[in-house]
Amino acid sequence: MRVDQWLGLMTGILFGFLLQKGRVLRFEKQIGAMLLKDMTILKFMLSAILVGMVGITLLTDAGLATLSHKPMNLGAVLLGGALFGAGWAVMGYCPGTSIGALGEGRWHAVFAVAGMLVGAGLYAELYPFFQSTVLAWKDFGKIGVTDALGLSTWVIIPMCWAGVIVLFRWFERKGL
Amino acid sequence: MNVKWKTLDGGWSPYLAGSLVGVLAIVSVMATTQLMGKTHYLGASTTFVRAAGMLEQTVAPEHVTANEYFIKEKVRVDWQFMLVLGIFLGALISSATDRSFKLERLPPLWEQRFGSSLTKRAMGAMLGGIIAMIGVRMADGCPSGHGLSGMMQFSVSGLVAMGMFFGVGVLVAALVYGRNVS
């Protein structure tokens, strides 16, 4: 195996390990969050984001990494996001967690994986059509919140931490 | 806040496991930049495109070679492909060593709502999977790529995509599972 493949595999093993330890691979946790009854996946994701944002800002400030924003293509993100949300609510898994769910023995996730593979194939067939329609509406490009607001990342980070910690306290108080 | 580090079933607090994923994301950004010459961020959904391309190649290789989207995303076993395989292995290792590994025929919540038919679940999950994957490729990222990696970098697209994923997910979940579920 090449070095990039080894690196991917090692990173993936640690990622899968932590996803499983956080118990976020469960269908019940994903649907539970969407039913606003169990916020485990939100606690998990927001914790990762709070920690990650500090390190990534430090690394990019030091020139040790580059940002890689995905394009804010309006139609694509809004319509695509809505379609994903609808499918996610029925399937109960996202792409990464479906594979992890298989790893912890939840073999019914094969149906979700199979559906997503069919969906990927269909998207490849429909790509020219989407390119001339929804992908062509309005593209704001690869933009960051900091550019859009004209604020330094180091101003936004403490605000995010404060806001999310208030949210976490509320989750715990409500037993969510 | 009265937060326990372990959950009742022997898992870790989502705050702890999530924070460690944040550390992993930072280390991964640093490692990919150093070892691969280009910063790579955690993601999963492009791998489904590559895997679909590989499967199609077994029956119609010319069709895959000529497809614009497969050309764009490059059908090959890359860093992210191995990362997704790693997720499977990591979940297997974790669940096998803390005894939470369980062969499960149907998700308990699904069974409670739709009964014990495996066909029904297969149809539902496949239909959901097809719609979700079309959406996620259109939006160019999943809860890992847009949600975790995008929001860590303060991407506008990550924030908007995650809002749509979750907002529409809440509406549809209420319609699908809202009734008859305790």
Side-chain angles (χ1 to χ4, degrees), chain A residues 31 35 37, chain B residues 109-115 170-182:
Chain A
I31 299 299
L35 291 173
K37 286 178 177 169
Chain B
L109 178 66
W110 174 279
E111 199 167 355
Q112 200 182 327
R113 174 72 180 88
F114 292 107
V170 166
L171 292 176
V172 176
L175 291 173
V176 178
Y177 303 97
R179 285 161 298 166
N180 309 328
V181 171
S182 54

Side-chain angles (χ1 to χ4, degrees), chain A residues 1-5 7-9 11-23 25-28 31 33-37 40 42-45 47-49 51-53 55-57 59 64-72 76-91 93-96 98-100 102-108 111-125 127-128 130-131 134-135 143-146 148 153 156-157 160 168-169 171-172, chain B residues 1 3 9-12 14-15 17-24 26 28-36 39 41-42 44-45 48-49 51-52 55-56 63 67-70 72 77 79 82-84 86-95 98 100-110 118 121-122 124-126 128-140 142-148 151-157 159-162 164-166 168-170 172-174 177 181-182:
Chain A
M1 276 202 301
R2 299 185 314 259
V3 62
D4 66 310
Q5 291 174 323
L7 189 60
L9 184 65
T11 312
I13 290 175
L14 291 170
F15 192 23
F17 186 90
L18 292 171
L19 287 166
Q20 206 280 332
K21 280 284 177 268
R23 301 297 191 245
L25 299 171
R26 307 281 160 79
F27 175 93
E28 277 65 31
I31 299 299
M34 288 180 253
L35 291 173
L36 306 174
K37 286 178 177 169
T40 306
L42 250 72
K43 294 174 191 174
F44 183 94
M45 289 186 76
S47 300
I49 292 165
V51 172
M53 62 171 61
I56 286 168
T57 304
L59 286 175
L64 292 170
T66 48
L67 291 182
S68 169
H69 294 305
K70 291 170 185 292
M72 182 54 219
V77 174
L78 291 182
L79 182 63
L83 285 173
F84 176 76
W88 187 23
V90 176
M91 164 169 64
Y93 293 111
C94 61
S98 68
I99 301 293
L102 284 178
E104 61 168 358
R106 274 62 180 179
W107 60 266
H108 51 76
F111 303 118
V113 173
M116 286 192 281
L117 287 171
V118 173
L122 279 175
Y123 187 81
E125 299 307 315
Y127 184 60
F130 289 141
Q131 257 191 323
V134 61
L135 300 177
I143 47 170
V145 174
T146 43
T153 315
I156 297 180
I157 288 176
C160 290
F168 284 168
R169 293 185 70 104
F171 286 164
E172 296 306 320
Chain B
M1 248 187 336
V3 172
D9 64 348
W12 298 356
Y15 299 117
S19 300
L20 290 172
V21 165
V23 174
L24 176 68
I26 298 166
S28 170
V29 158
M30 204 155 52
T32 53
T33 312
Q34 291 296 318
L35 297 172
M36 294 162 65
T39 310
Y41 287 88
L42 301 180
S45 65
F48 283 76
V49 176
L55 290 172
E56 281 184 44
H63 184 74
N67 181 286
E68 207 180 332
Y69 194 61
F70 286 132
K72 176 176 175 278
V77 178
W79 173 82
M82 296 306 292
L83 183 129
V84 172
I87 292 176
F88 174 84
L89 292 174
L92 179 63
I93 294 166
S94 170
S95 62
D98 74 1
S100 58
F101 182 92
K102 192 175 118 197
L103 290 174
E104 191 178 84
R105 185 175 169 269
L106 284 173
L109 178 66
W110 174 279
L118 190 63
R121 172 59 192 160
M126 286 203 55
I130 290 171
I131 295 169
M133 186 50 67
I134 290 177
V136 97
R137 290 325 307 156
M138 189 182 284
D140 196 23
C142 60
S144 295
H146 264 315
L148 295 177
M151 287 173 74
M152 279 177 197
Q153 306 173 57
F154 301 100
S155 300
V156 175
S157 57
L159 209 60
V160 177
M162 204 55 217
M164 290 304 292
F165 295 166
F166 199 68
V168 175
V170 166
V172 176
Y177 303 97
V181 171
S182 54

